[in-house]
Amino acid sequence: MRLSVEHLKRTFGDVTAIDDVSFAVDAGEIYGFVGPNGAGKTTTMRILATLDEPTAGDALLDGVSLIQQPERARRTIGFMPDHLPTHRDMSVDDYLDFFARAYGLRAAHRRRVVEHIEEFTNLTGIRGKLIHTLSKGMKQRVSLARALVHDPGVLILDEPAAGLDPRARVELRELLVALAGQGKAILISSHILTELSEICHGAVILEHGRMVGAGSIRDLLQEQTQHLIVCLRALSEMALLHRDVVALPGVVAARPVGEGLEIDLDGDENLAAEVLAALVAAGHRVVEFRSRQGDLEDVFMNVTRGEVQ
């Protein structure tokens, strides 16, 4: 299953929410969909979920337009919105059973599917609880379970990790990796970029409705993070350490991170060794000095300016 977005555009009066957005996600891939608030992520996802129509452009599932054939697309796409509507009189099991019926699952087969989804998303223990009584994390699990009930080939997830505690975020990442392993194409929006870097094969970055970066994580890093990043910690006064670091040849930038500095070097490991030697010679007692691989957060900060609309 391949999801292709081709020159998508959506306007609301004089406001252009998304402008000429194109990308593709293949079966078994997880793509991060990132950007500042107001960048157009949710608008794009709503179009892909057939809840809105574009002003121009198209989106295809294995070559079939989901704009022209939305009913066919809805049987192939699972959409998880950024919040689960409150249903005060429905239990978790009733809610999932309702959607299984809506997708045409019948009798014993429907029961087996719902029970399997509840087990996969770890909802078995709360299946009888009313949805409005659940925590944010449990509601997110129910929302994901609902998106999976018809076994879609494509998952579109809008901020699924928002408001989750650390354990719930880890468990969600594990679920997404397992789903990609089943061959599902996954598009996920999130502001937690360090966590996306751990599971995503690629990313699409929007700002002010326009695409400012797209491709595999490796390609994006090679394009945007051209400096060697070094983490430095020393038993020195921070202001003095920072002053001496930025004065060294080859140091592009230095910024406080935790109890130390993160340094951008315009060179390779030979330059890093020279910087370390110079700091030691200057009397700084260095206790940590290591290179760090760039991640999606570095790419995001390089290609965006924080523009919103």
Side-chain angles (χ1 to χ4, degrees), residues 44-60:
T44 304
M45 288 184 149
R46 284 180 56 81
I47 291 173
L48 298 181
T50 73
L51 298 177
D52 194 6
E53 294 185 353
T55 305
D58 205 350
L60 309 174

PDB file of all heavy atoms in Angstrom, residues 44-60:
ATOM      1  N   THR A  44      -4.115  18.946   6.341  1.00  0.00           N
ATOM      2  CA  THR A  44      -3.678  17.908   5.404  1.00  0.00           C
ATOM      3  C   THR A  44      -4.204  16.546   5.816  1.00  0.00           C
ATOM      4  O   THR A  44      -4.706  15.772   4.994  1.00  0.00           O
ATOM      5  CB  THR A  44      -2.142  17.871   5.319  1.00  0.00           C
ATOM      6  OG1 THR A  44      -1.646  19.160   4.963  1.00  0.00           O
ATOM      7  CG2 THR A  44      -1.684  16.842   4.299  1.00  0.00           C
ATOM      8  N   MET A  45      -4.110  16.245   7.104  1.00  0.00           N
ATOM      9  CA  MET A  45      -4.548  14.936   7.581  1.00  0.00           C
ATOM     10  C   MET A  45      -6.058  14.756   7.432  1.00  0.00           C
ATOM     11  O   MET A  45      -6.534  13.663   7.116  1.00  0.00           O
ATOM     12  CB  MET A  45      -4.124  14.739   9.038  1.00  0.00           C
ATOM     13  CG  MET A  45      -2.632  14.521   9.201  1.00  0.00           C
ATOM     14  SD  MET A  45      -2.181  14.176  10.910  1.00  0.00           S
ATOM     15  CE  MET A  45      -0.755  13.103  10.656  1.00  0.00           C
ATOM     16  N   ARG A  46      -6.800  15.806   7.640  1.00  0.00           N
ATOM     17  CA  ARG A  46      -8.249  15.718   7.462  1.00  0.00           C
ATOM     18  C   ARG A  46      -8.607  15.447   5.996  1.00  0.00           C
ATOM     19  O   ARG A  46      -9.544  14.698   5.713  1.00  0.00           O
ATOM     20  CB  ARG A  46      -8.918  17.005   7.950  1.00  0.00           C
ATOM     21  CG  ARG A  46      -9.016  17.115   9.472  1.00  0.00           C
ATOM     22  CD  ARG A  46      -9.680  18.417   9.881  1.00  0.00           C
ATOM     23  NE  ARG A  46     -10.993  18.579   9.269  1.00  0.00           N
ATOM     24  CZ  ARG A  46     -12.116  18.023   9.720  1.00  0.00           C
ATOM     25  NH1 ARG A  46     -12.083  17.245  10.799  1.00  0.00           N
ATOM     26  NH2 ARG A  46     -13.262  18.233   9.110  1.00  0.00           N
ATOM     27  N   ILE A  47      -7.854  16.026   5.085  1.00  0.00           N
ATOM     28  CA  ILE A  47      -8.084  15.742   3.662  1.00  0.00           C
ATOM     29  C   ILE A  47      -7.761  14.285   3.359  1.00  0.00           C
ATOM     30  O   ILE A  47      -8.523  13.591   2.675  1.00  0.00           O
ATOM     31  CB  ILE A  47      -7.244  16.684   2.785  1.00  0.00           C
ATOM     32  CG1 ILE A  47      -7.770  18.121   2.893  1.00  0.00           C
ATOM     33  CG2 ILE A  47      -7.268  16.224   1.322  1.00  0.00           C
ATOM     34  CD1 ILE A  47      -6.897  19.148   2.197  1.00  0.00           C
ATOM     35  N   LEU A  48      -6.651  13.790   3.896  1.00  0.00           N
ATOM     36  CA  LEU A  48      -6.266  12.405   3.651  1.00  0.00           C
ATOM     37  C   LEU A  48      -7.255  11.428   4.282  1.00  0.00           C
ATOM     38  O   LEU A  48      -7.418  10.303   3.794  1.00  0.00           O
ATOM     39  CB  LEU A  48      -4.859  12.145   4.198  1.00  0.00           C
ATOM     40  CG  LEU A  48      -3.733  12.963   3.561  1.00  0.00           C
ATOM     41  CD1 LEU A  48      -2.394  12.605   4.176  1.00  0.00           C
ATOM     42  CD2 LEU A  48      -3.698  12.752   2.052  1.00  0.00           C
ATOM     43  N   ALA A  49      -7.905  11.859   5.353  1.00  0.00           N
ATOM     44  CA  ALA A  49      -8.912  11.009   6.003  1.00  0.00           C
ATOM     45  C   ALA A  49     -10.294  11.173   5.378  1.00  0.00           C
ATOM     46  O   ALA A  49     -11.272  10.631   5.888  1.00  0.00           O
ATOM     47  CB  ALA A  49      -8.972  11.336   7.496  1.00  0.00           C
ATOM     48  N   THR A  50     -10.387  11.925   4.279  1.00  0.00           N
ATOM     49  CA  THR A  50     -11.620  12.204   3.520  1.00  0.00           C
ATOM     50  C   THR A  50     -12.646  12.979   4.345  1.00  0.00           C
ATOM     51  O   THR A  50     -13.836  12.903   4.086  1.00  0.00           O
ATOM     52  CB  THR A  50     -12.270  10.914   2.964  1.00  0.00           C
ATOM     53  OG1 THR A  50     -12.873  10.162   4.006  1.00  0.00           O
ATOM     54  CG2 THR A  50     -11.258  10.057   2.220  1.00  0.00           C
ATOM     55  N   LEU A  51     -12.174  13.766   5.315  1.00  0.00           N
ATOM     56  CA  LEU A  51     -13.066  14.615   6.106  1.00  0.00           C
ATOM     57  C   LEU A  51     -13.125  16.037   5.553  1.00  0.00           C
ATOM     58  O   LEU A  51     -13.884  16.862   6.042  1.00  0.00           O
ATOM     59  CB  LEU A  51     -12.597  14.656   7.569  1.00  0.00           C
ATOM     60  CG  LEU A  51     -12.592  13.307   8.295  1.00  0.00           C
ATOM     61  CD1 LEU A  51     -12.033  13.465   9.696  1.00  0.00           C
ATOM     62  CD2 LEU A  51     -13.986  12.712   8.340  1.00  0.00           C
ATOM     63  N   ASP A  52     -12.308  16.318   4.561  1.00  0.00           N
ATOM     64  CA  ASP A  52     -12.287  17.621   3.906  1.00  0.00           C
ATOM     65  C   ASP A  52     -11.827  17.396   2.474  1.00  0.00           C
ATOM     66  O   ASP A  52     -11.287  16.331   2.137  1.00  0.00           O
ATOM     67  CB  ASP A  52     -11.341  18.575   4.639  1.00  0.00           C
ATOM     68  CG  ASP A  52     -11.530  20.033   4.222  1.00  0.00           C
ATOM     69  OD1 ASP A  52     -12.469  20.319   3.448  1.00  0.00           O
ATOM     70  OD2 ASP A  52     -10.735  20.880   4.665  1.00  0.00           O
ATOM     71  N   GLU A  53     -12.046  18.377   1.614  1.00  0.00           N
ATOM     72  CA  GLU A  53     -11.624  18.266   0.223  1.00  0.00           C
ATOM     73  C   GLU A  53     -10.608  19.354  -0.098  1.00  0.00           C
ATOM     74  O   GLU A  53     -10.723  20.484   0.395  1.00  0.00           O
ATOM     75  CB  GLU A  53     -12.822  18.391  -0.721  1.00  0.00           C
ATOM     76  CG  GLU A  53     -13.818  17.255  -0.598  1.00  0.00           C
ATOM     77  CD  GLU A  53     -14.928  17.364  -1.636  1.00  0.00           C
ATOM     78  OE1 GLU A  53     -14.979  18.394  -2.338  1.00  0.00           O
ATOM     79  OE2 GLU A  53     -15.738  16.414  -1.731  1.00  0.00           O
ATOM     80  N   PRO A  54      -9.622  19.038  -0.922  1.00  0.00           N
ATOM     81  CA  PRO A  54      -8.618  20.049  -1.271  1.00  0.00           C
ATOM     82  C   PRO A  54      -9.148  21.041  -2.286  1.00  0.00           C
ATOM     83  O   PRO A  54     -10.089  20.744  -3.031  1.00  0.00           O
ATOM     84  CB  PRO A  54      -7.488  19.201  -1.868  1.00  0.00           C
ATOM     85  CG  PRO A  54      -8.200  18.035  -2.486  1.00  0.00           C
ATOM     86  CD  PRO A  54      -9.351  17.740  -1.562  1.00  0.00           C
ATOM     87  N   THR A  55      -8.545  22.201  -2.317  1.00  0.00           N
ATOM     88  CA  THR A  55      -8.842  23.180  -3.359  1.00  0.00           C
ATOM     89  C   THR A  55      -8.219  22.745  -4.683  1.00  0.00           C
ATOM     90  O   THR A  55      -8.782  22.976  -5.765  1.00  0.00           O
ATOM     91  CB  THR A  55      -8.309  24.559  -2.952  1.00  0.00           C
ATOM     92  OG1 THR A  55      -8.849  24.913  -1.663  1.00  0.00           O
ATOM     93  CG2 THR A  55      -8.691  25.626  -3.969  1.00  0.00           C
ATOM     94  N   ALA A  56      -7.057  22.106  -4.588  1.00  0.00           N
ATOM     95  CA  ALA A  56      -6.369  21.590  -5.777  1.00  0.00           C
ATOM     96  C   ALA A  56      -5.480  20.437  -5.344  1.00  0.00           C
ATOM     97  O   ALA A  56      -5.203  20.247  -4.159  1.00  0.00           O
ATOM     98  CB  ALA A  56      -5.547  22.684  -6.448  1.00  0.00           C
ATOM     99  N   GLY A  57      -5.018  19.660  -6.327  1.00  0.00           N
ATOM    100  CA  GLY A  57      -4.149  18.537  -6.034  1.00  0.00           C
ATOM    101  C   GLY A  57      -4.931  17.268  -5.776  1.00  0.00           C
ATOM    102  O   GLY A  57      -6.166  17.225  -5.871  1.00  0.00           O
ATOM    103  N   ASP A  58      -4.210  16.220  -5.435  1.00  0.00           N
ATOM    104  CA  ASP A  58      -4.842  14.921  -5.236  1.00  0.00           C
ATOM    105  C   ASP A  58      -4.049  14.110  -4.224  1.00  0.00           C
ATOM    106  O   ASP A  58      -2.907  14.431  -3.891  1.00  0.00           O
ATOM    107  CB  ASP A  58      -4.909  14.157  -6.573  1.00  0.00           C
ATOM    108  CG  ASP A  58      -6.037  13.128  -6.612  1.00  0.00           C
ATOM    109  OD1 ASP A  58      -6.641  12.875  -5.551  1.00  0.00           O
ATOM    110  OD2 ASP A  58      -6.314  12.602  -7.703  1.00  0.00           O
ATOM    111  N   ALA A  59      -4.674  13.049  -3.731  1.00  0.00           N
ATOM    112  CA  ALA A  59      -4.020  12.070  -2.872  1.00  0.00           C
ATOM    113  C   ALA A  59      -4.441  10.697  -3.369  1.00  0.00           C
ATOM    114  O   ALA A  59      -5.622  10.465  -3.636  1.00  0.00           O
ATOM    115  CB  ALA A  59      -4.413  12.269  -1.415  1.00  0.00           C
ATOM    116  N   LEU A  60      -3.472   9.794  -3.488  1.00  0.00           N
ATOM    117  CA  LEU A  60      -3.721   8.501  -4.110  1.00  0.00           C
ATOM    118  C   LEU A  60      -3.350   7.360  -3.177  1.00  0.00           C
ATOM    119  O   LEU A  60      -2.366   7.442  -2.427  1.00  0.00           O
ATOM    120  CB  LEU A  60      -2.903   8.369  -5.404  1.00  0.00           C
ATOM    121  CG  LEU A  60      -2.995   9.512  -6.418  1.00  0.00           C
ATOM    122  CD1 LEU A  60      -2.009   9.286  -7.551  1.00  0.00           C
ATOM    123  CD2 LEU A  60      -4.418   9.628  -6.960  1.00  0.00           C
TER     124      LEU A  60
END
